[in-house]
Amino acid sequence: MKHVKLLVLGGTQFVGRTLVDEAVGAGWEVTVLNRSGTAHTPGVVALQGDRTAENGLAALCAGEWDVVVDTWSWAPIAVRSAAEVLADRADRYVYISSRSVYRAPVPAGATEAHRTVECDPDDIAFNNYSRTKAGAEQALRLVFGERALVVRPGLILGPHENIGRLPWWLNAIADGGLVPAPGPESLDLQYIDARDLSRWTLSAAARGLSGDYDAVSASGHATMGTLLAACLESTHSKAQLVWLDPGTLQAHGVTPWIDFPIWIPPGPDHDMMHGSDVSKAYSAGLVCRPVADTVADTWSWLQSLGRVAPQRADRPTVGMSSGRLKTLLTR
């Protein structure tokens, strides 16, 4: 990629941090703005600012950038405010949104053309995740127009994950013994490694792409079976997977996505999360690494933290306790 001046709003957690690392690795000149005024990556210029406070964007009143990347997940007005401050001093503004913006039901094979939820680009409060992300998208378009790139990932995995989904599976399997596995084993998964998301986003911005892109792997890039097999291989665990069908799990009160992270049984919710048509992003150069690589690298990172992954304060803790897992197997 060519040399680019990049501004990342945030840049300290998961996707933002990965974006910074990828940009620095590509030789870009990187600046971050966050509340702490710090950066994890050497060579990054760190500015301090709280975009929820009055004059919180004052540090951005000087300087020019080729690309801005924003991962904001709260009140849409913050994205509009940042975009207005940067409108004359940034060529392109990228917003990391979410496939959650689509209005249910979202059938398998849906594309970026599927309708989105109702929202308010000037909302000053966090209502719910879907409307917040959709509102932020609209806020950006109002200011940057054709210079706006909206990236909509779904499930994001990889090192530095601060939700706990893949770390939970890795820890559960590393502990050994019998491990309940939610079936069917052939259930298709659709996700993206944060590093692949970051690499493609930066490349797309540098190439001048605009518009909306669903950025996840093709459905079937992995399955529950290949994901958990990769966990077994990476942890060198002697755990035994006990595959349970969705009906059995439902009968025992198992909550998809929460009790068993990543897993959603076949049906409308699975179609929405794991069945989208991502040919537009693939045609624009998206490449997704094998699931075994994502799992192995996440396990190495997790071990470096003593197997205790960071947890976002605004997200629920996912995964059953070991006690509930044993009770489920007993039943």
Side-chain angles (χ1 to χ4, degrees), residues 260-324:
F260 282 129
I262 300 173
W263 174 75
I264 300 175
D269 289 342
H270 180 271
D271 291 343
M272 186 280 290
M273 180 58 68
H274 295 298
S276 67
D277 179 347
V278 291
S279 56
K280 183 179 180 182
Y282 269 69
S283 295
L286 177 63
V287 176
C288 295
R289 70 192 68 202
V291 65
D293 292 354
T294 296
V295 170
D297 293 344
T298 303
W299 176 239
S300 295
W301 162 75
L302 188 61
Q303 285 182 298
S304 74
L305 300 178
R307 291 177 54 181
V308 179
Q311 175 67 49
R312 281 182 59 161
D314 64 331
R315 297 293 181 88
T317 301
V318 298
M320 286 188 183
S321 66
S322 57
R324 281 194 66 196

Side-chain angles (χ1 to χ4, degrees), residues 20-33:
V20 170
D21 289 344
E22 290 290 335
V24 170
W28 288 21
E29 182 180 335
V30 182
T31 300
V32 298
L33 174 83

Side-chain angles (χ1 to χ4, degrees), residues 36-114:
S36 64
T38 59
H40 294 285
T41 308
V44 172
V45 176
L47 304 177
Q48 188 169 16
D50 182 352
R51 60 198 301 180
T52 65
E54 186 176 357
N55 298 321
L57 298 175
L60 299 181
C61 290
E64 295 183 350
W65 293 275
D66 299 303
V67 176
V68 177
V69 180
D70 192 348
T71 62
W72 186 253
S73 297
W74 292 275
I77 192 64
V79 173
R80 181 160 187 166
S81 298
E84 289 173 344
V85 168
L86 295 164
D88 296 329
R89 291 178 294 104
D91 293 336
R92 192 157 302 274
Y93 196 123
V94 183
Y95 181 60
I96 306 298
S97 185
S98 168
R99 293 193 67 255
S100 296
V101 300
Y102 295 120
R103 188 179 304 179
V106 183
T111 69
E112 293 84 354
H114 190 82

Side-chain angles (χ1 to χ4, degrees), residues 116-186:
T116 58
V117 298
E118 295 182 0
C119 60
D120 180 1
D122 292 321
D123 202 337
I124 62 173
F126 177 90
N127 288 317
N128 71 25
Y129 186 73
S130 298
R131 288 199 296 272
T132 293
K133 282 292 192 181
E137 289 185 8
Q138 285 196 19
L140 175 59
R141 294 189 194 100
L142 287 172
V143 181
F144 268 74
E146 294 299 318
R147 296 184 294 142
L149 172 62
V150 173
V151 181
R152 295 170 176 160
L155 172 64
I156 307 174
L157 302 176
H160 304 298
E161 184 196 335
N162 57 357
I163 306 297
R165 297 184 179 110
L166 184 51
W168 182 85
W169 277 112
L170 284 163
N171 278 326
I173 288 175
D175 288 339
L178 300 178
V179 179
E185 188 174 351
S186 60

